[in-house]
Amino acid sequence: MERGSRAPPHVAVMPSPGMGHLIPLSELAKLLVLRHGFTATFIVFSDFSDNAQTAFLDSLPSGFSYVVLPPLPLDDVPPDAHVETRLSIMVERSVPHVRDVLRSLRRTTRLAAYVIDLFCVETLPVAKELGVPHYLLFTTSFMVLSLLLHLPALDQATSCEYRDLPEPVVLPGCVPLRGEDLVHPMQDRTDDAYRCMLNIARRIREVDGILVNSFVDLEPAAYAALKEAEPEVGRPNVHAIGPVIHRGSHGGAKGKECLRWLDEQPPGSVLFVSFGSRGTLSTEQIQELAWGLEASGRQFLWVVRCPSDRVASGAFFHLQGPDDPLRYLPEGFLERTRGAGLLVPLWAPQVEVLAHAATGGFLTHCGWNSLLESFVHGVPMIAWPLYAEQRTNAVMIADGLGVALRPKTAADGSGLVRREEVAEVARELMEREAGRKAREKAGELKQAAAQAVAGRDGSSCKALAEVAQYWKDNAATGDV
Ligand SMILES: O=c1ccn([C@@H]2O[C@H](COP(=O)(O)OP(=O)(O)O[C@H]3O[C@H](CO)[C@@H](O)[C@H](O)[C@H]3O)[C@@H](O)[C@H]2O)c(=O)[nH]1
């Protein structure tokens, strides 16, 4: 690698495991490489890099390289520890290795910035120590960022569990949130996962700036409130740079089959059902969903995974193994729905599916990348949140933006969405007035999303160009 005044500026990027973070961080790096003349190195964990992640990294164009950290065993961590707890321990253990990588990049490149996602905050002191500007790519909304920035104060002011608060939490410029709709690690304040979240909430104030994968017109009031608060001590500047989404294909042969099937369906007729890179349902819920989709009479394309009650807890970071997800469906389902539905085990080329004219709705777990991809393609949704910040996102898209419908869970305390409700909400979205309204709103958001990243003048393009220029200027003068 080159160092010297004519070498390109370099960015080091550290995503935590999982496609949900790898995708936006690599798309950001692509923009820096292809539009702003940077080169980039990814620092990735070996422990959790599965085939999908490795294939994704290998497909990145020239200008990128990646360094795999040595294995960081977590054998001493209880197997039932929450994913946030496991992640935070793993990141802590990675610090000496990250120091070595950043030191080496400083020697061999014009290292201009170090960009992480929120689970990697424990590595920030290394960048500080080496004088490398350190930024966070916040991979979800301004609303969730606002929640995190307010969390230490909220923690001080609250003595009960948040779900028992008599009033909703009101964040500046955001739709009110009931305690039970706050992010998953906030649901049990006695759990380690909550302490991890609180630690992250404190540490993100240490970064030099926060790039947010959202756009101003999507969340104008939440964005304005955060901008207003910037002069406060310990409030990093925020930059709206989204929607940064994956635009290529990563679906393989099965992906091509999905797209061929979609080509044969009438425009706007298909409900796409997918729960992100690793979302799964219980066996009973899979069965209810299947019966409901069948009863709805609608065409559907469903990315099917093995039930959550059949997956080992430590396997969270990996796509599932050899077990056949189709065997958990109701008997005869495949035969009865042949022609009306297509089932894809594990993975579909989601962005291409959402971009396809036949796709008329998206039943989603509300991961932020999925939502952005839906906004970009103007697809209305059914919000079916599972974990992380997905309930918070669901409130935003259903109550705030009006681009999604929410199925009701059964009153029997099972927490299940029963088949009748699945059929009803699918028909609502695809055939009725509520769906028509959501589709109209989705069309408006599609335009706003396109404007944010249009040419050089889109608000998000400008914001990223300013940050990139700042990094280049500092790298060029040797100030870093
Ligand atoms: O069959 C599939 C399934 C997923 N994807 C892609 O994988 C990504 C999934 O990302 P996302 O929708 O954000 O879901 P998660 O993978 O669950 O993402 C994690 O990270 C997100 C960003 O922080 C959070 O919003 C989520 O709650 C968290 O679970 C998207 O780009 C999808 O297009 C596919 O291409 N094909």
Side-chain angles (χ1 to χ4, degrees), residues 23 56 245-263 270 272 274 301 303 347-362 369-370 373-374 376-377 379:
I23 289 175
F56 189 81
I245 64 162
H246 183 65
R247 294 189 190 255
S249 168
H250 50 272
K254 284 215 187 77
K256 291 207 177 78
E257 188 191 320
C258 289
L259 299 173
R260 270 199 301 273
W261 183 81
L262 282 174
D263 287 343
V270 175
F272 176 50
S274 176
L301 170 54
V303 182
W347 197 259
Q350 180 167 306
V351 176
E352 285 155 295
V353 170
L354 290 171
H356 200 287
T359 304
F362 182 16
N369 298 295
S370 292
E373 290 158 7
S374 218
V376 164
H377 295 103
V379 181

Side-chain angles (χ1 to χ4, degrees), residues 31-83:
L31 291 174
L32 290 168
V33 169
L34 301 174
R35 289 209 193 143
H36 299 286
F38 281 70
T39 48
T41 297
F42 281 86
I43 306 172
V44 293
F45 291 97
S46 67
D47 314 55
F48 300 104
S49 59
D50 59 24
N51 291 343
Q53 292 176 61
T54 311
F56 189 81
L57 286 164
D58 285 338
S59 71
L60 292 173
S62 68
F64 290 87
S65 46
Y66 66 92
V67 175
V68 181
L69 298 175
L72 301 162
L74 294 178
D75 304 341
D76 52 328
V77 179
D80 59 346
H82 278 285
V83 62

